[in-house]
Amino acid sequence: MTVNERSGIYKVSNSFLPSVSKRSKQFTTLNGAGHRGRMRARLLQKGGESLQEYELLEMLLYLTIPRKDTKPLAKHLINSFGSLDGLLSAEDKILTKANISQEFIELIHLLKQTTERLVAPDSYNRPYMKHWKDVIVYLNEYPLKCEINNKKILRLLFLNNQQRLICDEYIVHHGVNSISLIIQKALKLYAMNLITIHYVSGNEFSAEMRKNEAKFALTLQSSTRHFDLNVGDHIIYLDSQYFSLFKNKKLSFEKEN
């Protein structure tokens, strides 16, 4: 019995085979192709419900391990991570320590993103925020859920390339030191546009505070350009009113009428 190193297919000498009249159906390969075919047939005929977790994982591993029995590895990974969900939600550094190939890690990322897109609301039902009035209507309809008190709250509206909302969240505002975190969040969401709202506690907004806000807005706008992320506006919420720093496409602190 010899092995073709390129294809991984075993070839058996005909001298060891019985005559055609006595032989059952001949298998052309001994590398698990028949098993894989049966697994695919079960999936197509009976659906994913007919497969156990390790079998689903086994089939996923087919995509990155073309010629090898993946059942032992699938069972080992389920035992190590507790479940298929535990494996798919694990961090990259943990997956790497488990000796999982980079190709399979990339496949896991693809599965995560695909799942998130499928369960996300239809993009056409998401709020549209191309104009100032659209943004204000949304902010008034969905006010900040936390108490401002003395906290410096920065609300982040991440938008897609059609100016529709992807995600609405808030962080503690640390000025320019917050920019790195904002960019990381935008990249994870594949956001193309961003609107930031700074909720100022109290009724005072000094000249120094205005200067710091302008510096933050300009630095944010400059930094995000390197990541194809457009900052549509930086808004100040003060004394129950909204003020735009980007009104008329220039940095100006003006009250919107």
Side-chain angles (χ1 to χ4, degrees):
M1 182 170 63
T2 60
V3 181
N4 185 318
E5 294 182 355
R6 184 175 182 181
S7 65
I9 296 176
Y10 289 88
K11 292 185 177 180
V12 182
S13 172
N14 290 334
S15 62
F16 293 94
L17 297 176
S19 62
V20 175
S21 60
K22 296 181 180 180
R23 276 192 283 121
S24 300
K25 181 180 178 180
Q26 184 178 4
F27 295 97
T28 57
T29 67
L30 299 176
N31 64 350
H35 172 65
R36 294 188 176 196
R38 290 190 294 273
M39 292 281 285
R40 293 189 184 99
R42 279 178 59 193
L43 179 64
L44 293 174
Q45 294 172 8
K46 299 182 180 180
E49 298 81 4
S50 66
L51 301 175
Q52 298 185 49
E53 273 201 338
Y54 82 86
E55 291 176 317
L56 289 171
L57 179 56
E58 185 182 351
M59 294 194 72
L60 288 174
L61 288 167
Y62 291 169
L63 301 175
T64 57
I65 306 176
R67 295 185 181 89
K68 187 177 180 181
D69 182 7
T70 58
K71 182 186 290 186
L73 177 58
K75 289 185 174 181
H76 171 71
L77 291 174
I78 292 294
N79 289 338
S80 299
F81 290 90
S83 65
L84 182 58
D85 179 65
L87 171 65
L88 297 181
S89 59
E91 296 181 359
D92 286 3
K93 59 182 180 181
I94 297 177
L95 295 173
T96 302
K97 288 182 179 179
N99 293 323
I100 295 177
S101 69
Q102 183 60 36
E103 290 81 3
F104 191 65
I105 292 176
E106 292 172 1
L107 177 61
I108 289 176
H109 281 294
L110 179 61
L111 288 171
K112 287 180 182 178
Q113 294 299 326
T114 302
T115 302
E116 289 174 3
R117 296 291 179 89
L118 288 174
V119 300
D122 181 19
S123 61
Y124 290 101
N125 294 327
R126 296 173 181 171
Y128 181 66
M129 299 190 194
K130 187 173 183 179
H131 305 291
W132 169 262
K133 290 183 179 179
D134 301 326
V135 179
I136 298 305
V137 167
Y138 175 81
L139 293 176
N140 286 330
E141 187 173 353
Y142 300 97
L144 194 68
K145 294 182 180 179
C146 69
E147 293 292 333
I148 300 175
N149 296 327
N150 294 322
K151 297 179 182 178
K152 296 180 178 180
I153 302 298
L154 185 66
R155 190 172 182 178
L156 309 172
L157 303 181
F158 296 101
L159 314 176
N160 63 16
N161 61 342
Q162 297 176 337
Q163 306 288 348
R164 292 188 181 275
L165 183 67
I166 298 175
C167 182
D168 176 358
E169 61 178 283
Y170 64 88
I171 61 174
V172 177
H173 191 11
H174 294 295
V176 294
N177 293 327
S178 301
I179 292 177
S180 177
L181 176 61
I182 294 171
I183 292 175
Q184 289 178 30
K185 289 179 177 292
L187 292 175
K188 287 182 178 180
L189 293 166
Y190 295 94
M192 300 294 291
N193 296 282
L194 170 68
I195 297 172
T196 55
I197 306 97
H198 181 195
Y199 288 79
V200 180
S201 60
N203 299 323
E204 295 185 2
F205 197 66
S206 64
E208 183 66 23
M209 293 176 68
R210 295 188 185 194
K211 181 179 178 181
N212 290 336
E213 286 302 306
K215 178 182 178 182
F216 166 77
L218 285 172
T219 306
L220 177 64
Q221 193 176 47
S222 174
S223 301
T224 54
R225 285 174 183 160
H226 301 291
F227 301 93
D228 294 325
L229 177 64
N230 174 62
V231 180
D233 205 342
H234 180 61
I235 299 170
I236 306 298
Y237 179 81
L238 175 66
D239 194 20
S240 301
Q241 298 182 74
Y242 293 100
F243 302 84
S244 170
L245 265 69
F246 285 9
K247 186 183 176 184
N248 298 324
K249 297 183 179 180
K250 64 180 180 179
L251 276 176
S252 59
F253 193 80
E254 297 181 36
K255 181 177 178 180
E256 180 71 11
N257 296 322

